[in-house]
Amino acid sequence: DPDPTALGLRLAGALGWFWSRRGYAGEARRWLEAALARSEPAGPTVERARALRALWGMALMQGDYGAVQASAEEGLRIARSVGDQRLVGLFLLHLGVATRHHHGDPEAARALLLESLEVLREVGDAWGAAYALRDLGVAAWLQDELDAALAYLEDGLTLFRSTGERWGLTTTLGHLGTARLRAGDPDRAARLLREALSVSLEMGDAWTGAAALIRLAQVAGTVGDYQRAARLLGASE
């Protein structure tokens, strides 16, 4: 390739999902930050925006919310400047999540996520819309709006089932299971969380599997089965 810098940036952006699902956040950030630094003189490009999306995910995994916010803001500026509406919708989603984590402002996060959902629906991106619905459910939950949280999460779950995207499916099942427990339905919560665990095991994703076990332990504790809760917590380690 006559431009190895551009190639490196494309590779780094394309590997983002693999790195995140395998937990290679530290390695990923080194490659991504190096590729972004080399390509900065080229200015705003779709390739740079995609690499920033990958960097956003790695920073989120590491709890570096300042970097989460910064990558989402720059990515949104680039997406708007190049006129890529799908990327605009995705970066509005990322900025909504960043606002929730970095600023602890679920109301502002919800406004960004609603805008993201509208844009992603307009461009026909069911995958992105499902993630927006999932995170809207979490934002509503944080505002103590349980009915709204359940509605968003159920809609997101339906979309994830239609797209076949399993990681989004299992995380949404986890959030919905917790919400159903809060709504006083431990049986429904347990069914959702057992499905979340099953999907996690199929994918070989230890992170979502451990989260499902912890939530199942919460269900067991709620119904007074403390021995089972202890076993599940032990398995999550």
Side-chain angles (χ1 to χ4, degrees), residues 100-113:
R100 188 182 79 222
H101 283 288
H102 189 47
H103 298 294
D105 190 344
E107 185 174 353
R110 199 165 165 183
L112 287 162
L113 292 167

Side-chain angles (χ1 to χ4, degrees), residues 144-209:
D144 294 320
E145 294 184 23
L146 183 56
D147 288 344
L150 288 168
Y152 284 132
L153 290 168
E154 290 283 5
D155 287 349
L157 185 62
T158 299
L159 264 187
F160 276 124
R161 291 195 193 283
S162 73
T163 63
E165 208 277 74
R166 294 188 298 168
W167 193 82
L169 174 66
T170 193
T171 56
T172 304
L173 284 164
H175 290 308
L176 186 56
T178 301
R180 286 294 176 194
L181 182 62
R182 174 78 174 274
D185 190 349
D187 291 339
R188 171 68 172 149
R191 288 195 298 274
L192 290 162
L193 293 169
R194 283 195 295 268
E195 184 182 356
L197 179 60
S198 176
V199 175
S200 297
L201 292 173
E202 288 173 5
M203 292 189 298
D205 192 313
W207 185 83
T208 55

